Amino acid sequence: MKNESIKILQKRKKAILELWMKNQLAEEGLRDDLMNNEDLRVQSEELLDALLNNLSDDTVGDAESSQFDTVTDILAGISVSRARQGFSPRETGVYVFSLKDALLETLQQEIKDPVILYAQSLKISKLIDSFGIVTFETFIKGREEVILRQTDEIAEISTPVIRVWDGILALPIIGTLDSSRTQIVMENLLQEIVESGSSIAILDISGVPAVDSLVAQHLIKTVSATRLMGAECIISGIRPEIAQTVVHLGIDLSQIITKASLASALRTAYTMLQLEVVKKRRFEKENA
Amino acid sequence: MEKIPILRMGPFLLVTIQVDLYDRLAENLESDLVQMVSKTGAQGVLIDISAVSIIDSFMGRIIGNIASMSKIMDAETVVVGMQPAVAITLIELGLPLKGVHCALNVERGMELLRSRIALTDGTPDDDADTE
């Protein structure tokens, strides 16, 4: 008796695929901009093949069974690639669950006994549900990979140390300053101080969205470390909002030289190095 | 027993630490240096720690102590050549060595000492970082 429903499903594969495709195409959120119908059909057929070929009496109640490995692999591949392509979780979910509708509808057409139909539907439904869960797990994993990669990239590109002048380094900090980033910033800065023999470092925080007590703590740490290396540290790019929060939070920055803009910090640095920037004059006339 | 040499150079004392410091050695250095400052009437002390790659809270404190002691005996102290890793460690340990002047290398350190002594000789030291 039981075998019957599986046989029915396997026999009517073509019809199921058609039904499934129809369901998918009828779905409002179909993203034909991300994937064309041909690809979708190929993908769906592959998955359906793998599912029906491995469907048997023993496996119908157990989505974890090793016979479904290929199905899980295909599903994982599909959801990871969808995560990268920018499908929403809902669209990915609908993709799997619309298969359930197709399968159940086919069963309904073939099996007339309500008791058997109910029992079989329940089993198929459970199976597809667990496949749905697998899909979501891998979908989220795919998304997380994307996020992790981006985080790494941001950390790498966002801490440059620039030599603006002989003996003057500038460090524009863009983005939130957390402890791991402070560590990277500090290491890069101190290393560069040693290599270039600089005596002044300018920390520009105009790209830091907000300064709370923790961020201020990190800044003070960086400044103290620079002092231990025998260099002076100037913090520039203090926006009015930042000045307000810093004072409201009761953070003491009086031991640190702070400037409103990078230009004024640079001017201070020149003064400290006893340099002077003068406008070029035409000496030829005077010399003649 | 190992000993860290304290060299005299004009009005300055020069200490170069070439070995990894252990506690006893550091304590001896502290007392030797204070003795030496009082004996020679040195105006400045320069401590070169460029060869020190590992530092702990005790060592950080000793360096701070030496600086404070020399300061109350009227000698400026400059620590030179600190490695980046050591600087980060000291900061993470919560020892920013307040009151100690630092310089990148011996040359800069001597320059700093000279300018500071010239300052104290002339007008009263109005630098903000005195303790």
Side-chain angles (χ1 to χ4, degrees):
Chain A
M1 273 308 253
K2 272 182 193 169
N3 260 330
E4 211 169 285
S5 68
I6 294 167
K7 264 184 200 148
I8 292 169
L9 289 176
Q10 277 160 353
K11 204 169 66 195
R12 298 207 44 180
K13 196 166 81 186
K14 268 252 155 57
I16 294 170
L17 182 63
E18 288 310 321
L19 212 53
W20 188 17
M21 285 306 294
K22 207 182 81 197
N23 285 348
Q24 286 187 61
L25 296 178
E27 179 62 34
E28 254 176 51
L30 180 77
R31 299 292 295 266
D32 36 15
D33 53 332
L34 292 179
M35 189 182 243
N36 61 36
N37 289 349
E38 284 301 305
D39 288 345
L40 189 63
R41 191 182 196 90
V42 172
Q43 201 177 58
S44 308
E45 197 169 357
E46 189 189 8
L47 180 62
L48 191 63
D49 266 347
L51 175 66
L52 292 182
N53 289 344
N54 289 307
L55 207 58
S56 68
D57 265 350
D58 310 324
T59 55
V60 74
D62 178 19
E64 311 263 295
S65 101
S66 55
Q67 277 186 289
F68 282 132
D69 277 354
T70 40
V71 182
T72 326
D73 282 350
I74 294 172
L75 266 180
I78 290 174
S79 52
V80 166
S81 72
R82 281 181 172 230
R84 291 207 185 116
Q85 280 168 332
F87 279 88
S88 75
R90 185 196 159 84
E91 286 147 14
T92 313
V94 163
Y95 171 74
V96 177
F97 290 124
S98 58
L99 169 63
K100 183 161 82 176
D101 290 343
L103 289 175
L104 293 184
E105 213 173 310
T106 315
L107 278 184
Q108 211 170 14
Q109 288 165 6
E110 295 285 328
I111 302 174
K112 295 298 170 219
D113 187 343
V115 178
I116 300 174
L117 177 64
Y118 177 70
Q120 294 300 320
S121 304
L122 205 62
K123 274 190 178 161
I124 294 290
S125 172
K126 260 195 184 150
L127 186 68
I128 302 295
D129 282 350
S130 34
F131 284 140
I133 291 169
V134 172
T135 315
F136 274 116
E137 266 179 355
T138 41
F139 182 81
I140 288 172
K141 218 185 266 168
R143 275 286 179 89
E144 272 169 1
E145 271 168 23
V146 173
I147 294 170
L148 271 182
R149 206 187 56 227
Q150 286 171 344
T151 316
D152 284 350
E153 273 171 20
I154 291 171
E156 235 165 71
I157 58 171
S158 64
T159 50
V161 183
I162 309 160
R163 291 186 203 187
V164 278
W165 200 263
D166 207 18
I168 304 174
L169 295 177
L171 241 131
I173 300 174
I174 293 159
T176 329
L177 204 58
D178 55 16
S179 39
S180 62
R181 256 192 95 196
T182 315
Q183 191 76 19
I184 299 172
V185 168
M186 224 195 268
E187 276 169 19
N188 287 352
L189 176 61
L190 298 195
Q191 199 56 47
E192 196 62 28
I193 287 176
V194 173
E195 276 167 25
S196 64
S198 301
S199 52
I200 293 172
I202 302 170
L203 228 65
D204 188 75
I205 58 164
S206 43
V208 178
V211 174
D212 56 11
S213 44
L214 207 63
V215 173
Q217 182 70 31
H218 291 320
L219 283 175
I220 293 171
K221 263 188 189 173
T222 313
V223 173
S224 314
T226 332
R227 277 205 186 134
L228 284 182
M229 299 294 300
E232 197 59 54
C233 199
I234 304 171
I235 295 184
S236 77
I238 312 259
R239 283 176 282 124
E241 310 90 74
I242 291 182
Q244 271 180 312
T245 25
V246 165
V247 172
H248 282 161
L249 288 171
I251 301 161
D252 183 23
L253 290 182
S254 59
Q255 299 297 309
I256 300 170
I257 310 171
T258 51
K259 295 283 163 197
S261 67
L262 188 63
S264 55
L266 199 57
R267 199 175 302 136
T268 316
Y270 282 148
T271 317
M272 284 159 92
L273 289 179
Q274 291 161 353
L275 291 171
E276 206 175 334
V277 182
V278 282
K279 202 164 186 174
K280 201 169 162 188
R281 261 183 287 168
R282 291 182 187 276
F283 284 103
E284 299 91 40
K285 245 183 213 170
E286 293 164 29
N287 290 345
Chain B
M1 157 121 206
E2 265 188 293
K3 211 168 156 97
I4 291 171
I6 301 170
L7 313 172
R8 187 171 171 187
M9 204 180 127
F12 308 126
L13 292 181
L14 215 67
V15 184
T16 56
I17 301 171
Q18 302 285 2
V19 289
D20 270 334
L21 278 174
Y22 48 91
D23 294 1
R24 172 59 72 77
L25 198 60
E27 277 175 340
N28 285 346
L29 174 66
E30 186 186 291
S31 54
D32 283 356
L33 194 60
V34 184
Q35 293 287 339
M36 204 62 176
V37 170
S38 93
K39 207 161 73 186
T40 60
Q43 287 177 287
V45 178
L46 187 132
I47 306 172
D48 174 28
I49 58 166
S50 54
V52 176
S53 53
I54 299 167
I55 204 159
D56 57 7
S57 54
F58 182 76
M59 272 310 306
R61 211 162 52 91
I62 292 272
I63 292 175
N65 285 353
I66 293 175
S68 320
M69 288 168 192
S70 339
K71 184 155 260 170
I72 54 175
M73 292 176 73
D74 199 25
E76 294 285 345
T77 306
V78 175
V79 176
V80 304
M82 192 182 293
Q83 290 183 15
V86 172
I88 293 174
T89 311
L90 280 179
I91 295 303
E92 294 297 339
L93 288 172
L95 290 164
L97 297 188
K98 285 225 169 83
V100 183
H101 300 289
C102 297
L104 194 62
N105 49 38
V106 179
E107 201 183 343
R108 296 262 179 90
M110 291 303 271
E111 233 169 73
L112 184 65
L113 267 185
R114 285 208 186 90
S115 69
R116 294 209 64 82
I117 285 165
L119 265 178
T120 41
D121 278 352
T123 48
D125 192 355
D126 56 359
D127 217 325
D129 51 10
T130 43
E131 270 199 336

